[in-house]
Structures are given as structure tokens and as C-alpha cells.
Amino acid sequence: MNIEELIEKVAKGEIKLHQVEKHTNDKRLATEIRRKALERKLGITLDNIGHYSIDPNQVISKNIENMIGVVQIPMGVAGPLKINGEYAKGDFYIPLATTEGALVASVNRGCSTLTAAGGVKTTIIGDKMTRAPLLKCPDARKAREVAEWVKGNIEYLQEEAVSKVTRHGKLRNIKPYIVGNNLYLRFEFETGDAMGMNMVTIASEELMKVIESRFPEVKYLALSGNVCVDKKPNAMNFINGRGKSVIAEAIIPREIVEKKLKTTPELIAEVNYRKNLVGSAQAGSYGFNAHFGNIVGAIFLATGQDEAQITEGSHGITLAEVTPKGDLYISITMPSLEIGTVGGGTRVPTQREALTIMGVAGGGEPPGTNAKKFAEIIAGAVLAGELSLLAAIAAKHLAKAHKELGR
């Protein structure tokens, strides 16, 4: 069957979109056939979607199905940003993929201000990827019995289940939650430089096999019982953390605030209190911040992170206060930053290149250090974005910036 015949059959539905690869060994050709068939069926042209540098042979079956091309997002860089972290040390440029005018300029202004003030101090306070399977028990007492047994046998479960399916995943803790006769086991894993969702999902299934064999009267119902919590706004991750939990903070001298941000420490602190804290409380928000999601989203898209986890990345708290010396103290706390530097979308060549800009592509030595370095850089960038936006609001420059850059 020649290419024209394949395009026609796909357009008519005689060959399904996911079946094209069965008729050609070249995934780039399969991508073109699907796109041409869609153009023919819908009477449209998809020329721009069809221009790309990514090799479909590298991403189909790993990162995408039914591929027809690539959507391109403009990418800029902000920086340099000086970070005084435990893993990220030095000056960094931050890649941001976005279509929102003024965002990169705003983050860049924040980077300039923070660097002039001596940089950002970053601290990782938690590191775990979670999965919470659901077990149906005969009653609450049996649920409690199972919960107590698993909590007392973490090393045994690591050896009998986790180590059989992954070299990198380590079961570090188990937090049980019981509702009636339902038992939710929130497994906490260390996953090295990977974000780790696939790793912990496979490991959790093995753990269920061991638990079911030990307690045959207990039924394993769901690999995820929604207590993980993954890709949804939730209090669990906001309070207990998931992925990297990280804090970025800085003290900015009054003269730098006034010169670079055209406002005062007092006004920034008041805007933050009345907007980010009181306003967010009134709204019932999990994000007591100005726009974490903007920076997290732009970095995630640039670097091949799971874009749905921008949801939890937008959780967090921004604090600002005037120091006894009259300077500005500002911090951001991010409880649930789910990121990695290996696996998933980080393998896509353009996204991997974006990671190289920050020096975090691939695995770290020792394992896990690259992902932690990446987390500190993201936190620093988020602090830059928060500082700049709060200052723009305090100085009443926000609308002007969007008129000039966001139209």
C-alpha cells in the first residue's frame, strides 16, 4: 500500500489513527500520514504543526500517541539569578516557555533585583513521591491491623516488593488513612532524579501483592485511591507535601527596592498581606500567592515536566515583611513541586536542551542531586516572579506593563 492509499484509508476511517504504525516502520512517516489524513478529512491545512525538529521515532510510544506534529511555544530566558542553595550555587538563567506577554520581563526584573541584593537562599525541607492504593477491608479493626502491620514492616516491604521492580525507588514511609472499612496507604518513596510517578506506581502494585498475600481477607481495589494526591488541587499535598518541598527567601535592602522596583518594603508587605493572605483566605484558595502557577507552568513546559502537575506546583505561600532595619524580607514556600531531570518529557531533545541551560539535564552524582538543584532553581525563579508582581501592584504599574508587553 503506497502513502497516498494509506492517507485515504485513514481519512475514511478504514485504518484507525493508532493503527498507522502497523503499515510503516517509519514513525516520522506515520506522523505525516495521520496529519495529511486529518487535513483531508477536515478540509484544513496544518503546515506549522508539521514543521519540527523532534524525531517522532524517539517520542512515539514513550511520550505521545497518534502523533501528527508539534505545537511550538515561544521560549525566553530570565536571569541571571544568583542562588545560594544547598544544591544550586551560582548564577542561573531560567528558560520560560509561555505565550503570556510580560511574564518573562517580570521574572527577569525580579532576578535582577534579587541578584543585586546578594541572591536567593533556598532550602529543601521535604523530598518524596507518593502513591496511595485503596484496600477494602472487612471492617475498621481489620483496616487498623493492616495499617499497623505495614507501618512496622517498611524494610521488609522494600526488600520483598519495591527492590524487585526498581533500583532507584526507596520506600521511606507509609501513612495510613482509614475511612469506615476503607484503608488508604499513602506510600512515600525516594525516587532519585526522576519525578517518579511511573516508578512508584509499579512499586505500589508489587506492594499490594505482598499485602494481599499476607491478608487474604483484604481486597485491593484501586492502585490510586486519590489520597496520593496527583494532579488535583488538594489540602493533602498543601499540608504534607509531595515531590520536592522547598523554600526560597531573600532580604532586599530598602534602597534596592526603591531604585529597582519603584516602591517601598512597607507597600510590598501590605499588598502581600491583603492580597495573597487575606484575599486568598476569602477565596478559599490553596495558593496564598500572586502567581506561582505562571512561573511553574512556563518552566514545566520548557523542560518536559508533567504539565498537569502545575496544579500542585501552584500551591504555596508568599510572605513579606519589613525587617527591623527597614529592609524587605520575602519568601515563598512550595510544598508540592513534582519535578525530575530524567525520564518522561525530559528525554525530548528541545526540553533536554532547556534543562542544560540550568545545568540539570540527566542524572546527578550522587543520584537525586540534579532534581534537588532543579527544585531550588525553580523556587528562586518563583520568588523572582512573586517579588516583581507584588512590586508592580504596589507601584500601580501592572496594567501599564500589560499594555506595553502583553497586547
Side-chain angles (χ1 to χ4, degrees), residues 96-352:
L96 300 159
T98 182
T99 55
E100 182 182 345
L103 177 60
V104 176
S106 179
V107 176
N108 195 65
R109 182 174 79 144
C111 290
S112 174
T113 303
L114 289 167
T115 299
V120 180
K121 180 189 289 186
T122 52
T123 306
I124 292 176
I125 59 173
D127 181 12
K128 55 179 174 289
M129 181 47 61
T130 62
R131 181 55 90 194
L134 164 60
L135 292 161
K136 181 181 178 182
C137 304
D139 53 35
R141 288 187 183 177
K142 177 56 69 172
R144 184 180 64 186
E145 179 188 342
V146 177
E148 289 175 349
W149 182 83
V150 296
K151 285 196 297 181
N153 287 276
I154 292 176
E155 290 184 8
Y156 171 78
L157 290 168
Q158 169 69 30
E159 184 65 28
E160 289 299 309
V162 179
S163 63
K164 292 182 178 179
V165 293
T166 174
R167 291 181 293 111
H168 303 290
K170 309 295 181 187
L171 180 63
R172 297 304 189 197
N173 196 18
I174 304 170
K175 291 185 177 178
Y177 297 87
I178 300 172
V179 182
N181 62 345
N182 298 293
L183 173 60
Y184 303 86
L185 295 173
R186 194 172 192 255
F187 297 125
E188 298 180 355
F189 296 87
E190 182 182 299
T191 59
D193 287 301
M195 183 270 284
M197 274 307 308
N198 290 341
M199 185 190 304
V200 305
T201 296
I202 294 167
S204 294
E205 188 163 64
E206 288 300 308
L207 286 163
M208 288 299 97
K209 293 175 184 178
V210 173
I211 293 168
E212 275 194 310
S213 66
R214 176 86 181 191
F215 300 95
E217 67 273 43
V218 170
K219 185 178 180 181
Y220 154 49
L221 280 184
L223 190 53
S224 172
N226 265 14
V227 182
C228 312
V229 178
D230 194 33
K231 304 175 183 178
K232 292 171 280 292
N234 65 91
M236 178 68 74
N237 293 355
F238 188 81
I239 296 168
N240 294 321
R242 189 172 193 251
K244 306 294 186 288
S245 299
V246 58
I247 295 170
E249 56 191 339
I251 294 176
I252 306 165
R254 175 178 291 273
E255 59 269 24
I256 292 178
V257 174
E258 294 174 348
K259 180 180 179 181
K260 284 186 168 287
L261 302 177
K262 313 305 180 187
T263 186
T264 66
E266 287 82 4
L267 269 175
I268 289 176
E270 183 172 9
V271 168
N272 184 73
Y273 167 68
R274 298 186 185 278
K275 168 186 166 63
N276 286 343
L277 304 185
V278 178
S280 297
Q282 174 64 35
S285 176
Y286 289 127
F288 288 73
N289 60 74
H291 67 151
F292 281 20
N294 252 339
I295 298 92
V296 172
I299 295 175
F300 272 35
L301 291 173
T303 60
Q305 308 306 305
D306 190 326
E307 64 273 11
Q309 291 175 329
I310 296 168
T311 303
E312 298 101 295
S314 69
H315 291 175
I317 300 172
T318 298
L319 297 179
E321 59 188 67
V322 181
T323 71
K325 292 183 178 180
D327 300 325
L328 176 68
Y329 168 84
I330 186 167
S331 71
I332 58 100
T333 300
M334 306 183 75
S336 188
L337 187 56
E338 298 146 320
I339 50 101
T341 60
V342 297
T346 68
R347 293 181 293 227
V348 179
T350 47
Q351 279 77 349
R352 187 176 178 85

Side-chain angles (χ1 to χ4, degrees), residues 11 34-47:
R34 268 189 294 268
R35 186 176 64 256
K36 294 293 184 183
L38 196 62
E39 288 178 331
R40 185 170 301 181
K41 185 176 180 66
L42 300 179
I44 58 176
T45 58
L46 302 172
D47 291 344

